[in-house]
Amino acid sequence: LIFAIPALAALPLALYRWRPIRAGGVPLLVTALGVGACNALFAVALTFGEVGMIVLLFYLSPIWATLLERVVLGTPMARHRLLGLVLGLAGMAILQGLGGRLPLPANLAEWMGVAAGMCWAVALVATNVASASSVIDKTSLQFVSAALFGFVLVLTLDSGGAWPEPAKIGTALPWILGAAVFWIIPAMALSLWGAAKMSPARASMLLMLEVLVALASAHWWAGEPVGLNKLLGGALILSAGVVDAWGSARLDRMRLKEADAA
């Protein structure tokens, strides 16, 4: 419902702007589908799984963004990005292994967290390619996509429990509207606008502040333990982000100097 409400509001806008949306082509469509699938998978994964674990697995997305940049955009695989890949994968192995599991996601919710990160990486690369498309079109289409993906997940994963009664939905409606208007819409619009202005890998890095906020709030409000696996694995995953961001900034400075010299 949180995604469906802005989706219903966005549909007339999408119909009105069908010409620029059509001009955006496949990159715009992939951006909308990627972000929509990411949001739906991430929200459902957090409902079923452990918040800290899901968020850390989701933030392996810079690995997938780096690989996609290499394959889709032809970006050279610099040494700092190779180091970031190694650190990120080592972080996942420690995150799971020190928790007494195989060094892989342990359940459906955790796999959905990884899948959400992959979808986000796809969306970051696509929005970089579709940088000429308006953020209005990207945002409106991704809400429609998120609502559709969310509905499919509800039908697929529902355990047979009763659907909420209309009275309960009515009681929750102010919270749903508030979340949609003051949280979801601004967050997605700003994320897509900013992601189009920088490389996909760097956009993933800047969003990693969410890891620290999620771990702290999950421990404080939900009583989730912050074990050694999360501390060490999370540190490596965040280190992968720092290495990539530092290396990308260094390359940008070198390109600017070369451009000035030319």
Side-chain angles (χ1 to χ4, degrees):
L1 284 172
I2 287 174
F3 290 120
I5 287 172
L8 290 174
L11 271 176
L13 180 62
L15 293 173
Y16 176 74
R17 293 181 55 83
W18 69 270
R19 285 188 179 88
I21 287 175
R22 182 179 179 182
V26 173
L28 177 58
L29 179 62
V30 173
T31 298
L33 292 175
V35 178
C38 166
N39 285 333
L41 286 165
F42 190 61
V44 175
L46 290 176
T47 302
F48 287 110
E50 187 179 342
V51 171
M53 189 70 71
I54 299 298
V55 171
L56 284 170
L57 290 172
F58 171 79
Y59 274 97
L60 291 168
S61 59
I63 293 176
W64 323 129
T66 297
L67 293 174
L68 284 169
E69 277 190 81
R70 178 71 185 104
V71 174
V72 177
L73 304 180
T75 305
M77 187 73 75
R79 284 179 293 180
H80 70 273
R81 290 196 163 165
L82 287 173
L83 178 58
L85 287 174
V86 172
L87 288 171
L89 292 174
M92 183 177 73
I94 289 175
L95 181 66
Q96 299 291 336
L98 289 185
R101 318 173 185 184
L102 293 174
L104 292 169
N107 52 51
L108 179 60
E110 293 181 8
W111 279 111
M112 290 172 72
V114 173
M118 290 180 175
C119 290
W120 180 244
V122 169
L124 286 178
V125 174
T127 197
N128 197 268
V129 175
S131 57
S133 295
S134 169
V135 70
I136 296 174
D137 297 331
K138 294 175 183 178
T139 305
S140 59
L141 288 178
Q142 75 84 23
F143 282 128
V144 177
S145 172
L148 291 174
F149 274 109
F151 186 64
V152 169
L153 287 172
V154 167
L155 294 179
T156 304
L157 300 175
D158 181 49
S159 59
W163 285 59
E165 298 174 1
K168 290 185 177 180
I169 294 178
T171 303
L173 196 58
W175 290 100
I176 294 170
L177 287 170
V181 173
F182 297 109
W183 171 36
I184 296 292
I185 293 176
M188 294 317 306
L190 289 170
S191 296
L192 290 170
W193 179 83
K197 306 295 182 182
M198 65 188 79
S199 76
R202 179 172 299 184
S204 294
M205 301 310 121
L206 293 175
L207 289 166
M208 276 191 155
L209 180 62
E210 183 179 0
V211 174
L212 302 177
V213 176
L215 287 174
S217 59
H219 176 68
W220 183 22
W221 288 334
E224 287 188 5
V226 181
L228 188 61
N229 62 323
K230 287 182 183 177
L231 292 175
L232 291 181
L236 284 173
I237 291 172
L238 290 175
S239 296
V242 171
V243 166
D244 194 281
W246 174 82
S248 297
R250 183 171 175 271
L251 285 178
D252 288 345
R253 288 195 298 270
M254 290 175 62
R255 291 191 188 103
L256 284 174
K257 288 181 179 178
E258 290 174 359
D260 290 340

